[in-house]
Amino acid sequence: MRAPVHGVSMDLDLTGKHALVCGASQGIGRAAAHELALLGADVTLLARRAGVLAQVRDALPVVHDAQRHALIAVDAGDTATLRAKAEALVAGHPVHVLVNNGGGPPPGLLQDAGEEALLLAYRQHVLAAQTLVGAVVPGMRRAGYGRIVNIVSTTVREPIANLGVSNVTRGAMASWAKTLANELAPLGITVNNVLPGSTDTPRIAQIAATRAEARGVPVEAMRTEMEAEIPMGRFGLPGEIAAAVAFLASPAAAYITGTSLPVDGGRIRAI
Ligand code: NAD
């Protein structure tokens, strides 16, 4: 095939690449694992429950003969075990694509949040990502290919009421990612954030239920009200967030780093 005159091609092929996807047992993480597998990557799923992960792994697409999927069962808040398992993984199969993702902190006002809630969220998100980066970057460097994609939230740009600990943690995560992007750019390793808006997963069901209870309205009415705040008038699908993750993980996105991409149906009001 002739090389395009502008020097790049729309190359989405991840055949021969290995992706480690966190928070992959459901929701956005599971959808991201699916999209990466469709592009040809070997996918290792990470979350806490081995049984659920095994079912998800067995349902992942296999698009070529050499493709293998695996799992790691670990609590991302258990930093020492996470490090040990990630190092064991990369020793056998270096990781080229890391998707940092995990459960959102429980809703609540920041002024009511205890020290432990803030520390736990920091451990599960920022420290977990830092730990995994420590394990995967040497292999990315040797392979000459590295993509780090963090699932964060539109709250990086606009904090949302009653998501106090989450808002604080997302801000820390965004700053962590931008700093790392600058440090790793000379190696050709990219670091980007995907910022989901309201997306139809168990997480949004939890948020809708909490708001409905606080307001004393039915959950369905609360969902309708939340959807009406979105210019597209609906929640996103996990696969719509995952498509952005897969693109950022692909060869085609080689020159995109340090960005935060909202995938939110237009919900962020700022330009
Ligand atoms: P989800 O709750 O449906 O899934 C979270 C995943 O993380 C699950 O696989 C869960 O098992 C795993 N997980 C949770 N705690 C873990 C831990 N301690 N160790 C290892 N794995 C753990 O969430 P989602 O809706 O798919 O969202 C993914 C991320 O995006 C979350 O951080 C969420 O807060 C954020 N987000 C979601 C929305 C939304 O509307 N769904 C909007 C903005 C941001």
Side-chain angles (χ1 to χ4, degrees):
M1 199 169 62
R2 262 185 53 199
V5 285
H6 42 278
V8 290
S9 62
M10 189 65 186
D11 182 0
L12 301 175
D13 187 11
L14 292 177
T15 304
K17 304 288 193 300
H18 179 204
L20 172 58
V21 182
C22 303
S25 65
Q26 63 181 37
I28 294 168
R30 179 177 185 168
H34 184 94
E35 293 303 309
L36 293 166
L38 276 180
L39 296 184
D42 293 347
V43 175
T44 296
L45 308 162
L46 185 152
R48 288 161 298 183
R49 297 164 295 166
V52 177
L53 285 176
Q55 287 173 10
V56 174
R57 178 200 56 202
D58 294 346
L60 283 175
V62 174
V63 297
H64 60 86
D65 290 346
Q67 198 175 13
R68 300 282 177 272
H69 304 308
L71 65 88
I72 295 180
V74 66
D75 187 328
D78 176 354
T79 310
T81 310
L82 181 68
R83 180 178 297 113
K85 293 202 173 192
E87 281 174 358
L89 176 77
V90 298
H93 195 358
V95 167
H96 308 93
V97 174
L98 169 64
V99 179
N100 286 310
N101 172 53
L109 296 177
L110 184 57
Q111 59 189 295
D112 297 335
E115 198 172 299
E116 267 316 307
L118 282 158
L119 287 172
L120 179 65
Y122 192 83
R123 243 191 331 270
Q124 288 175 344
H125 291 263
V126 186
L127 264 189
Q130 174 78 7
T131 301
L132 292 173
V133 160
V136 303
V137 163
M140 289 179 172
R141 191 179 188 141
R142 278 193 300 276
Y145 193 95
R147 301 281 187 269
I148 298 167
V149 184
N150 311 302
I151 313 293
V152 197
S153 170
T154 55
T155 56
V156 164
R157 302 265 172 84
E158 287 180 359
I160 293 179
N162 208 42
L163 286 180
V165 174
S166 181
N167 292 336
V168 173
T169 311
R170 308 306 184 173
M173 202 56 208
S175 181
W176 172 85
K178 186 66 180 170
T179 306
L180 193 66
N182 291 337
E183 291 179 8
L184 296 180
L187 304 175
I189 298 172
T190 69
V191 185
N192 291 290
N193 303 319
V194 169
L195 313 182
S198 293
T199 310
D200 214 347
T201 72
R203 168 71 174 172
I204 204 69
Q206 178 202 24
I207 290 173
T210 308
R211 287 192 193 173
E213 198 186 326
R215 294 254 309 272
V217 297
V219 177
E220 247 338 288
M222 197 65 244
R223 278 180 71 103
T224 305
E225 191 180 313
M226 288 169 72
E227 287 183 320
E229 288 164 11
I230 303 166
M232 285 201 174
R234 64 172 178 86
F235 290 156
L237 300 171
E240 291 174 317
I241 315 300
V245 175
F247 171 68
L248 289 169
S250 75
Y255 200 57
I256 302 175
T257 196
T259 63
S260 288
L261 174 64
V263 185
D264 67 346
R267 193 180 70 186
I268 290 184
R269 298 294 187 233
I271 294 170

